[in-house]
């Protein structure tokens, strides 16, 4: 009996470590996707980037589903459509916040989503708020603050007008995007109990295509050859990130999974230095260290035994 329990624990541990690796790979893919978007430099409408990305994702996912001999339509279609709507709206909100706010402020607001994910998973799925993961979430948020160095924080001590100059509507849009991101992650966590990961991935672009088409009725631009290369990069890296994210969330609680995703900030900082000659200060290094510390804490956290975990609704 003891040998059987040890074998089960070893298998569970291996599954969790694989999921952690997938989530780190997911963060790497998403960071490379943002490099491609940054290279486009606002030359194309945001909705057009999302649309092309969605078409690429649909083509790749359908091919993978066909190869795996899995129906693309899934079982819980209502929740699958909701996941797609949440993800699409969250993306559009985030891009709108980027257009209205300084990049640093928009990034910081977006990275409240791990905290919101932990709270949402606790309220909606009954996943416990473990002390170690809570520390990792807070440490990661502190690290992001130091890395992005929003000017309104730097000036807040001496000049409160910097804070007041931020549009409240824009801030609410940014927070809305973070909340919708958190809810999308919770829905993926819930769907992973009954749906194939590729089916969950498929519904995101399936909803994005009709949702973005109206925005391009009068503003669509035909991309140049170089822009097509960056668009393909956006689509490919997004596809990889979505697949790895979905598989990772299937094996780990939402709070732990999203706290690991903080490592994307470190990748983004590296790409900023290598590709865009962005400066690295001691504050950035300290922030990156906090982010790495949060990731290591999340990686070291062990999954509690099934009898210690709150019941998960099947809803």
């Amino acid at each position: 009996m003891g040998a059987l329990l040890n074998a089960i624990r070893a298998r569970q541990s291996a599954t969790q470590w694989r999921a952690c690796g997938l989530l780190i790979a997911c963060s790497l893919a998403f960071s490379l996707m943002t490099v491609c978007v940054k290279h486009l430099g606002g030359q194309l409408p945001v909705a057009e980037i999302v649309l092309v990305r969605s078409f690429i994702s649909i083509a790749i996912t359908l091919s993978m589903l066909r190869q795996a001999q899995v129906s693309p339509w899934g079982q819980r279609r209502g929740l699958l459509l909701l996941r797609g709507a949440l993800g699409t709206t969250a993306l559009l909100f985030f891009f709108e916040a980027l257009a209205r706010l300084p990049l640093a402020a928009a990034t910081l607001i977006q990275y409240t989503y791990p905290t919101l994910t932990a709270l949402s998973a606790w309220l909606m799925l009954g996943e416990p708020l473990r002390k170690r993961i809570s520390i990792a979430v807070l440490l990661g948020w502190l690290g992001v603050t130091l890395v992005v160095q929003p000017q309104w924080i730097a000036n807040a001590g001496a000049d409160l007008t910097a804070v007041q100059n931020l549009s409240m509507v824009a801030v609410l849009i940014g927070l809305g995007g973070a909340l919708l991101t958190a809810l999308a992650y919770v829905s993926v966590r819930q769907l992973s109990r009954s749906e194939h990961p590729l089916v969950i991935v498929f519904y995101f672009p399936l909803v994005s295509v009709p949702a973005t088409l109206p925005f391009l009725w009068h503003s669509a631009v035909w991309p140049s050859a170089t822009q097509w290369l960056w668009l393909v990069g956006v689509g490919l890296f997004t596809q990889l990130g979505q697949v790895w994210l979905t598989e990772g969330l299937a094996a780990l609680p939402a709070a732990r999974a999203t706290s690991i995703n903080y490592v994307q900030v470190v990748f983004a900082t590296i790409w900023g230095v290598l590709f865009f000659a962005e400066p690295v200060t001691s504050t950035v290094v300290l922030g990156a260290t906090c982010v790495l510390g949060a990731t290591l804490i999340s990686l070291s956290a062990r999954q509690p035994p099934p009898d210690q975990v709150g019941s998960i609704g099947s809803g």
Side-chain angles (χ1 to χ4, degrees):
M1 186 66 177
L4 178 60
L5 287 175
N6 287 335
I8 293 174
R9 290 194 185 100
R11 183 175 180 180
Q12 183 184 49
S13 178
T15 300
Q16 291 175 24
W17 277 109
R18 179 178 180 274
C20 291
L22 287 171
L23 288 166
I24 292 175
C26 154
S27 296
L28 175 61
F30 282 148
S31 71
L32 290 170
M33 179 268 291
T34 61
V35 170
C36 296
V37 172
K38 192 172 180 66
H39 271 293
L40 289 170
Q43 303 163 40
L44 300 174
V46 167
E48 185 168 337
I49 297 174
V50 175
L51 180 66
V52 174
R53 184 180 95 158
S54 300
F55 276 127
I56 293 173
S57 181
I58 286 175
I60 296 175
T61 307
L62 281 176
S63 176
M64 295 174 71
L65 283 165
R66 191 176 296 110
Q67 187 175 10
Q69 297 183 337
V70 174
S71 169
W73 306 116
Q75 303 175 41
R76 306 173 66 181
R77 296 176 187 176
L79 187 55
L80 284 164
L81 286 170
L82 177 61
R83 182 271 178 273
L86 288 170
T88 300
T89 311
L91 193 63
L92 292 172
F93 272 39
F94 177 51
F95 284 152
E96 183 65 24
L98 284 174
R100 292 171 176 250
L101 293 171
L103 175 61
T107 302
L108 178 60
I109 292 171
Q110 173 65 13
Y111 269 87
T112 60
Y113 82 81
T115 305
L116 296 172
T117 301
L119 292 173
S120 300
W122 172 56
L123 291 171
M124 301 172 68
L125 302 182
E127 294 185 354
L129 288 173
R130 301 177 60 203
K131 182 178 179 180
R132 179 174 291 197
I133 298 303
S134 298
I135 292 173
V137 167
L138 294 175
L139 182 61
W141 197 79
L142 172 62
V144 171
T145 306
L146 293 172
V147 169
V148 301
Q149 300 178 59
Q151 191 64 34
W152 52 273
I153 285 182
N155 293 342
D159 184 4
L160 292 177
T161 59
V163 180
Q164 295 167 352
N165 286 338
L166 283 180
S167 165
M168 182 55 64
V169 173
V171 171
L172 290 175
I173 289 173
L175 287 172
L179 176 60
L180 290 168
T181 299
L183 293 175
Y185 278 27
V186 170
S187 68
V188 170
R189 173 73 175 157
Q190 182 76 328
L191 284 166
S192 65
R193 303 181 182 282
S194 60
E195 306 293 343
H196 193 283
L198 289 174
V199 173
I200 301 174
V201 171
F202 175 67
Y203 269 81
F204 190 172
L206 190 67
V207 174
S208 295
V209 169
T212 53
L213 277 174
F215 294 101
L216 297 173
W217 191 255
H218 297 293
S219 62
V221 177
W222 187 257
S224 66
T226 302
Q227 289 169 343
W228 273 117
L229 288 176
W230 292 120
L231 285 170
V232 170
V234 170
L236 290 177
F237 286 125
T238 299
Q239 177 71 9
L240 289 172
Q242 285 292 331
V243 170
W244 291 334
L245 170 67
T246 304
E247 291 188 16
L249 279 169
L252 293 178
R256 183 181 177 190
T258 51
S259 64
I260 292 173
N261 282 349
Y262 273 130
V263 76
Q264 182 178 339
V265 177
V266 177
F267 288 134
T269 303
I270 293 172
W271 305 144
V273 173
L274 292 179
F275 299 133
F276 306 109
E278 295 179 355
V280 176
T281 65
S282 57
T283 306
V284 171
V285 173
L286 178 60
T289 302
C290 289
V291 171
L292 284 174
T295 303
L296 292 174
I297 290 172
S298 298
L299 291 175
S300 65
R302 292 187 177 182
Q303 186 89 353
D307 58 346
Q308 296 180 18
V309 180
S311 59
I312 307 293
S314 59

